[in-house]
Amino acid sequence: MAFIIDDILFSPLKFTIWLAKKLRESALQEMTDESQIHDELLTLQMQHEMGEISDDEYEKEEAKVMERLEAIRELKEEI
């Protein structure tokens, strides 16, 4: 009988904890997704090859994207 009462009383708390864990997992998955970074690099390279951006712009933007990629990889190692 006590177990049923405990389940009823603690179910909102258990649901909140479960939801927080799922949100954390989802956020971590999104934060560590490298596919978007690879797409940005590919787009940047295509813009450079088509002459839409200069060599200097390409190098600056590539450096920024590579920094983000490195940060993602470091985060994955920490996890």
Side-chain angles (χ1 to χ4, degrees), residues 18-51:
W18 175 82
L19 183 60
K21 286 180 182 178
K22 290 297 179 184
L23 288 172
R24 181 180 184 273
E25 289 172 10
S26 178
L28 282 174
Q29 182 179 4
E30 190 173 319
M31 286 174 46
T32 58
D33 184 20
E34 291 183 23
S35 64
Q36 183 181 6
I37 301 293
H38 292 289
D39 290 344
E40 287 181 38
L41 282 172
L42 183 60
T43 301
L44 189 62
Q45 184 178 7
M46 287 183 355
Q47 288 176 334
H48 181 254
E49 289 177 1
M50 295 179 72

Side-chain angles (χ1 to χ4, degrees), residues 2-26:
F3 293 117
I4 294 173
I5 294 174
D6 286 346
D7 286 344
I8 292 171
L9 291 175
F10 290 117
S11 63
L13 180 62
K14 289 179 181 179
F15 175 73
T16 303
I17 292 170
W18 175 82
L19 183 60
K21 286 180 182 178
K22 290 297 179 184
L23 288 172
R24 181 180 184 273
E25 289 172 10
S26 178

